[in-house]
Amino acid sequence: MTGQSNWDRARSYQAAIAERGAVITDADYLQPAETLLDLYGEDIRARAFTTQDPLRGEQMLRPDFTVPIVQQHMAFGAEPARYTYFGKVFRKQEIDEARPSEFVQVGFEVFDGSDVAAADAEVFATFAEILADVPVTPVTGDIGILRAAVMGLKTTERRRAALMRHLWRPRRFKALLDRFGGITPVPAARAALLAEADPMANLPSVLGLRSESEIALRIEALRDDAAADPISNMERDLLDALLSVRETAPNAMTLLGDIAVDLPSISTAVDGMSARLDALSARGIDVETLPFEAAYGRTSMEYYDGFVFGFSAAADLNIPPVATGGRYDALTTVLGAGKGVPAVGGVIRPDLVAIAEAAQ
């Protein structure tokens, strides 16, 4: 497709996806900021362009399509359903000015709970076929295995919740794990506060955003945490071993199976990976050489909670992955007001395909 414009590429990719049964859809350029803030917190402001509408309130230029497409489906769709779309998305670039702040995406979303492994394989294989003649390398991962590992830790519910919130921030996650494991000491100021018989007695007048009762609850939570047993060395070592898995899919399965012996909470997720590999093989994917990285997607795929994948060009091009995707069941529950459906999808960036092809 050398010589095609990004828009022509996008149309051809969308047509290929539509031929596989996907319904063509679209999403508004402006999205309610409240929804995105609820999902991502204030961090989204560093990545999204915002504006104010006199009637609709704060709005954001869509940073992606997935959220509005999920909202549309949860409000009006029925399962099973398949959608494809293309258009511009908008992202602030505060570090690398060479990266565009607006670019075209082509997407494919599948809402089908009849066979999640088959749906995962369908999306991956569709992208693999579209990119068959492009010099890219695939990689896969599974955030669901890591989530299951954290939820299986023998520690307090509050600690597990804290670790889950920071799965996407590896440094913060590691710092919390070390603290909960007793590797790093409690900060001196916190230790002194907790040692007081009545920590509230010497506090200044409450001037911040927290009320006195909220501060008291926070102190109680800190005391409960200080009294909790540390996460064991064995469990921390198992998590480290899990995050270090970077192999071909069959070899990764062997390593994960060994870890599951001592960390049985991941067994169901590992079984799901096995079923997905069978489904990928049935669609003609060479799973014997398919790369798997247990930590893949942790820094850039915040709403994914299961299978994740990407297709990357040569490292010396220094560009983001040409295509990415994954499973986001939990997102449908949040946007569906508690009613969730199994969902998986992904996007291709035609501009990055063009760069990869030009470098051949």
Side-chain angles (χ1 to χ4, degrees):
M1 292 189 183
T2 303
Q4 279 191 320
S5 72
N6 291 335
W7 290 102
D8 287 340
R9 289 173 187 273
R11 291 186 186 95
S12 68
Y13 297 160
Q14 185 181 65
I17 296 170
E19 287 175 0
R20 292 163 171 78
V23 174
I24 294 175
T25 189
D26 201 355
D28 292 337
Y29 278 86
L30 288 176
Q31 295 293 317
E34 182 180 7
T35 300
L36 295 168
L37 288 168
D38 286 345
L39 283 171
Y40 303 118
E42 290 293 326
D43 288 353
I44 189 65
R45 293 189 188 278
R47 307 198 302 270
F49 293 95
T50 62
T51 187
Q52 194 73 26
D53 185 278
L55 297 178
R56 297 176 179 84
E58 189 177 20
Q59 304 282 296
M60 290 185 176
L61 279 172
R62 62 189 183 206
D64 66 27
F65 276 88
T66 302
V67 170
I69 298 302
V70 170
Q71 287 180 302
Q72 290 178 22
H73 176 78
M74 299 309 293
F76 308 110
E79 289 76 51
R82 285 156 176 77
Y83 304 102
T84 181
Y85 51 82
F86 84 85
K88 282 190 174 182
V89 297
F90 305 86
R91 309 268 179 88
K92 288 181 181 178
Q93 302 294 342
E94 297 184 339
I95 298 176
D96 186 353
E97 64 180 12
R99 291 192 173 184
S101 56
E102 56 183 88
F103 48 86
V104 177
Q105 284 185 342
V106 183
F108 181 30
E109 313 292 341
V110 174
F111 298 82
D112 189 346
S114 61
D115 187 335
V116 295
D120 288 349
E122 176 186 353
V123 172
F124 181 90
T126 297
F127 283 84
E129 186 171 340
I130 290 173
L131 297 170
D133 296 326
V134 181
V136 292
T137 301
V139 62
T140 62
D142 195 329
I143 298 296
I145 295 176
L146 179 55
R147 288 170 59 88
V150 171
M151 293 308 295
L153 294 174
K154 296 180 179 66
T155 189
T156 66
E157 183 177 346
R158 185 177 281 114
R159 285 179 170 182
R160 287 194 294 268
L163 289 167
M164 290 291 281
R165 283 196 304 273
H166 293 284
L167 280 179
W168 317 107
R169 302 170 181 87
R171 289 185 180 178
R172 177 61 175 158
F173 181 88
K174 180 65 164 57
L176 283 175
L177 191 60
D178 285 347
R179 195 179 88 203
F180 296 157
I183 303 301
T184 55
V186 176
R190 179 180 298 179
L193 177 70
L194 297 180
E196 294 181 17
D198 183 6
M200 299 295 294
N202 297 319
L203 288 180
S205 299
V206 178
L207 300 176
L209 297 177
R210 288 182 177 178
S211 67
E212 186 171 331
S213 61
E214 288 174 327
I215 293 174
L217 287 173
R218 176 59 177 161
I219 291 174
E220 181 182 354
L222 291 174
R223 279 183 160 162
D224 289 344
D225 186 74
D229 292 333
I231 294 175
S232 70
N233 290 339
M234 185 184 79
E235 287 190 317
R236 287 189 297 102
D237 289 345
L238 287 169
L239 270 180
D240 286 343
L242 172 58
L243 288 167
S244 299
V245 173
R246 187 175 183 178
E247 266 287 358
T248 60
N251 289 340
M253 279 294 303
T254 299
L255 293 172
L256 292 170
D258 291 342
I259 294 170
V261 172
D262 296 310
L263 194 62
S265 63
I266 70 171
S267 295
T268 299
V270 173
D271 289 344
M273 177 179 166
S274 178
R276 182 169 59 247
L277 291 176
D278 289 343
L280 285 167
S281 182
R283 283 187 169 269
I285 302 298
D286 182 7
V287 298
E288 293 299 317
T289 60
L290 183 65
F292 177 90
E293 297 178 14
Y296 185 72
R298 285 186 69 201
T299 59
S300 58
M301 301 181 172
E302 292 179 34
Y303 49 64
Y304 292 132
D305 54 18
F307 174 53
V308 288
F309 66 86
F311 291 83
S312 296
D316 60 3
L317 293 179
N318 192 31
I319 60 175
V322 166
T324 58
R327 177 160 291 280
Y328 50 88
D329 296 353
L331 180 64
T332 70
T333 302
V334 173
L335 297 177
K339 175 184 176 292
V341 296
V344 61
V347 295
I348 302 177
R349 283 184 54 177
D351 60 326
L352 299 180
V353 174
I355 293 172
E357 288 185 336
Q360 288 189 95

